[in-house]
């Protein structure tokens, strides 16, 4: 566990971010490996099938990603305030909420997958494989939700390294399993999604063992479970908006996927490959955002207002510089990167991918500001702002899918994400300016000393 309310803000945030950064990269390696193995071993149609189902996975499983991060905010706030009883109560409430989320995702995903694929105008030649991929993915959604919740809870206590280790272990296991199940056992696209679930299940077990052996603060009693059941309001107040934010963004992605599907299987395959690489490239930027949620929440609990302001500014500068470097790398090395997914006999896919990277990579600095400011505002407890920002992202992606793609083809697809980032910032920046004024006014308030677990042990 790590207290982020004392010490140099920049050093603490970077130290907390680095494991998150590596972890996010490994998280994306899941989907990257699946797509690369499927594309190379099963062909272009199978790659397109995985890609055509990606937006549906993002819609439902993405909700659990956002909700888990939001459920951990009260945990981080209570830890920052030194209220260990509240920490356990919020963890219990988050566990109840996560169970409900898992049930809903599994039910909706398995029952309506094929119908949703038809609504998305999925090409007939790939719809069967897409439906198979979704059935296995949503069938194991409970494992994914559990891993997201446990990882977010551990990070809320300032430990970003341990979830990284488990994620690295799971990613390596997934890479081996996907080759074994797809290439060796000939399970087809079902092997790709099955490998991910098996690997994540291993990480869930590892998290539970860690909590039992080394994190007594998270040993919940009967009273904690009762209190958690009656104290769902606050975790849901922060968790559901972040989950809905991800789902709203995903709806925009669904509209865009509908437009892409209408351009044919080759374009779907190109979009699948570029999306996988894009997700991997922006993982470091997302890591800064995740770090700022915990940093802002802990310091809000400890009433360290100036630390929030200073830490946010410095992180914004570092994140923007990182974004520029990432964009340049992606633009320069676009063709050899896409070559990992398709062979050299696919010049059209190569051309489309280069167009996508040129447009998106040059604007990563905008995305870095979205991640840092939106998550800081969320960590401060303003849950409605990210939701409104998500709605604007939906609108921008929908406009791209319904209008720009019609007139500009794949260029309209490539413009969807940058337009969504600008739409999000149009809400987040004014909200942050208002938050900044509030922070400056509170900086002169007297500070209340908080005793954390390690300090209590030293005193004893």
């Amino acid at each position: 566990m790590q207290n982020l309310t004392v010490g140099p803000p920049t050093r603490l945030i970077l130290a907390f971010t680095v494991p998150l950064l590596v972890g996010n990269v490994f998280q994306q390696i899941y989907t990257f490996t699946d797509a690369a193995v499927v594309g190379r071993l099963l062909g272009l149609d199978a790659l397109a099938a995985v890609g055509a189902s990606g937006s549906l996975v993002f819609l439902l499983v993405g909700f659990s990603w956002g909700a888990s991060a939001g459920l951990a905010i009260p945990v981080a706030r209570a830890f920052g305030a030194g209220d260990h009883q509240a920490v356990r109560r919020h963890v219990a409430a988050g566990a109840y909420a996560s169970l409900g989320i898992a049930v809903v995702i599994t039910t909706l995903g398995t029952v309506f997958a094929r119908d949703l694929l038809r609504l998305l105008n999925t090409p007939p030649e790939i719809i069967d494989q897409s439906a198979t991929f979704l059935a296995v993915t949503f069938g194991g959604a409970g494992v994914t939700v559990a891993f997201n919740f446990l990882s977010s809870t551990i990070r809320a206590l300032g430990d970003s390294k341990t979830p990284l280790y488990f994620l690295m272990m799971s990613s390596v296991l997934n890479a081996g399993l996907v080759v074994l199940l797809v290439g060796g056992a000939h399970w087809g696209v079902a092997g790709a999604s099955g490998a991910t679930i098996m690997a994540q299940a291993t990480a869930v077990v590892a998290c539970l063992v860690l909590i039992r052996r080394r994190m007594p603060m998270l040993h919940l009693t009967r009273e904690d479970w009762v209190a958690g059941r009656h104290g769902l309001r606050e975790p849901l107040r922060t968790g559901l908006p972040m989950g809905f934010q991800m789902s709203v963004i995903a709806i925009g992605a669904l509209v865009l996927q509908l437009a892409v599907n209408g351009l044919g299987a080759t374009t779907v395959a190109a979009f699948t490959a570029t999306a996988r690489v894009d997700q991997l490239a922006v993982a470091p930027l997302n890591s800064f955002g995740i770090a700022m949620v915990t940093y802002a929440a802990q310091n809000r609990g400890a009433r360290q207002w100036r630390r929030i302001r200073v830490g946010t500014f410095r992180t914004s500068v570092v994140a923007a510089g990182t974004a520029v470097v990432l964009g340049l790398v992606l633009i320069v090395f676009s063709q050899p990167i896409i070559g990992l997914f398709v062979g050299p006999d696919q010049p059209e896919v190569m051309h489309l991918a280069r167009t996508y990277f040129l447009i998106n990579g040059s604007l990563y600095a905008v995305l870095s500001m979205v991640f840092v400011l939106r998550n800081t505002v969320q960590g401060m407890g303003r849950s409605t702002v990210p939701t409104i920002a998500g709605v604007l992202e939906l609108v921008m992606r929908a406009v791209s899918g319904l209008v720009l793609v019609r007139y500009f083809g794949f260029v309209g697809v490539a413009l969807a994400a940058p337009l969504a980032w600008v739409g999000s910032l149009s809400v987040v920046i004014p909200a942050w300016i208002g938050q900044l004024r509030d922070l400056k006014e509170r900086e002169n308030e007297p500070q209340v000393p908080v005793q954390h677990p390690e300090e209590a042990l030293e005193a004893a």
Side-chain angles (χ1 to χ4, degrees):
M1 297 181 291
Q2 184 178 6
N3 178 14
L4 301 178
T5 64
V6 293
T10 306
R11 182 177 61 81
L12 281 173
I13 293 172
L14 290 179
F16 190 77
T17 299
V18 169
L20 291 173
L21 187 157
V22 179
N24 262 318
V25 170
F26 273 89
Q27 183 77 51
Q28 298 307 323
I29 286 176
Y30 274 120
T31 56
F32 189 96
T33 302
D34 290 350
V37 172
V38 168
R40 280 293 187 171
L41 297 183
L42 301 180
L44 206 63
D45 279 354
L47 176 62
V50 172
S53 59
S55 55
L56 289 175
V57 174
F58 184 28
L59 175 63
L60 295 181
V61 177
F63 179 87
S64 81
W65 295 338
S68 294
L71 291 172
I73 290 176
V75 177
R77 192 179 304 152
F79 180 74
D83 189 346
H84 304 158
Q85 184 178 3
V87 168
R88 292 191 296 272
R89 182 178 70 248
H90 292 318
V91 170
Y96 286 124
S98 296
L99 177 61
I101 290 169
V103 171
V104 171
I105 290 175
T106 301
T107 303
L108 293 178
T110 54
V111 173
F112 298 106
R114 187 175 288 270
D115 294 330
L116 290 171
L117 286 169
R118 291 196 183 98
L119 287 175
L120 287 174
N121 195 29
T122 304
E125 63 268 28
I126 65 174
I127 194 168
D128 287 337
Q129 293 188 81
S130 292
T132 299
F133 185 84
L134 286 176
V136 178
T137 298
F138 290 133
V143 174
T144 302
V145 172
F147 180 61
N148 290 336
F149 171 67
L150 291 171
S151 298
S152 296
T153 299
I154 294 171
R155 281 195 294 265
L157 303 184
D159 182 0
S160 60
K161 293 181 180 179
T162 301
L164 164 64
Y165 300 147
F166 294 155
L167 186 57
M168 291 172 66
M169 172 193 68
S170 182
S171 297
V172 172
L173 181 59
N174 176 72
L177 285 173
V178 73
V179 173
L180 177 65
L181 298 180
V182 175
H186 304 292
W187 284 16
V189 294
S193 52
T196 299
I197 293 169
M198 294 178 191
Q200 287 184 335
T202 304
V204 169
V205 173
C207 286
L208 293 174
V209 171
L210 169 79
I211 290 172
R212 181 174 181 81
R213 292 183 177 180
R214 297 178 52 189
M215 305 187 77
M217 184 184 294
L218 299 183
H219 293 179
L220 306 183
T221 65
R222 182 186 298 273
E223 289 75 17
D224 295 325
W225 287 108
V226 172
R229 188 169 63 249
H230 295 290
L232 280 166
R233 181 176 180 179
E234 185 173 359
L236 290 178
R237 188 178 66 84
T238 56
L240 291 182
M242 288 190 73
F244 285 129
Q245 171 197 334
M246 295 297 293
S247 291
V248 165
I249 294 172
I251 292 172
L254 283 172
V255 176
L256 183 62
Q257 185 72 58
L258 174 63
V260 172
N261 290 346
L263 298 177
T266 298
T267 303
V268 174
F271 182 63
T272 301
T274 53
R276 294 297 190 273
V277 175
D278 186 55
Q279 290 166 3
L280 184 62
V282 303
L285 308 181
N286 187 35
S287 300
F288 287 111
I290 296 173
M292 289 308 299
V293 170
T294 302
Y295 177 83
Q298 281 197 16
N299 281 280
R300 181 178 183 268
R303 305 177 66 85
Q304 297 286 343
W305 311 116
R306 184 177 184 279
R307 289 178 59 81
I308 298 172
R309 178 172 60 84
V310 172
T312 302
F313 172 75
R314 294 178 181 176
T315 304
S316 298
V317 174
V318 175
T322 304
V324 171
V325 173
L326 288 170
L328 289 174
V329 170
L330 203 60
I331 292 171
V332 173
F333 297 102
S334 60
Q335 291 194 352
I337 291 174
I338 292 301
L340 296 173
F341 295 87
V342 299
D345 57 337
Q346 299 291 339
E348 184 178 355
V349 173
M350 292 286 188
H351 172 71
L352 294 175
R354 180 166 179 78
T355 300
Y356 186 94
F357 291 146
L358 184 63
I359 294 174
N360 281 256
S362 61
L363 294 171
Y364 276 169
V366 177
L367 178 60
S368 70
M369 294 299 98
V370 173
F371 281 135
V372 172
L373 298 183
R374 185 177 64 193
N375 283 279
T376 300
V377 170
Q378 182 73 52
M380 292 296 294
R382 300 186 63 179
S383 56
T384 57
V385 172
T387 303
I388 297 173
V391 171
L392 281 178
E393 287 198 36
L394 160 63
V395 172
M396 292 301 188
R397 291 180 192 273
V399 167
S400 296
L402 298 175
V403 180
L404 297 184
V405 173
R406 179 181 301 177
Y407 293 102
F408 301 105
F410 194 75
V411 172
V413 175
L415 286 170
L419 287 175
W421 305 338
V422 172
S424 181
L425 274 184
S426 68
V427 174
V428 171
I429 287 181
W432 171 242
I433 292 174
Q435 188 70 72
L436 197 59
R437 287 196 296 264
D438 185 53
L439 289 172
K440 289 180 178 179
E441 291 175 0
R442 294 188 174 190
E443 284 178 13
N444 295 324
E445 293 180 359
Q447 302 299 315
V448 179
V450 175
Q451 190 177 51
H452 290 271
E454 61 274 14
E455 297 167 353
L457 289 174
E458 291 176 3

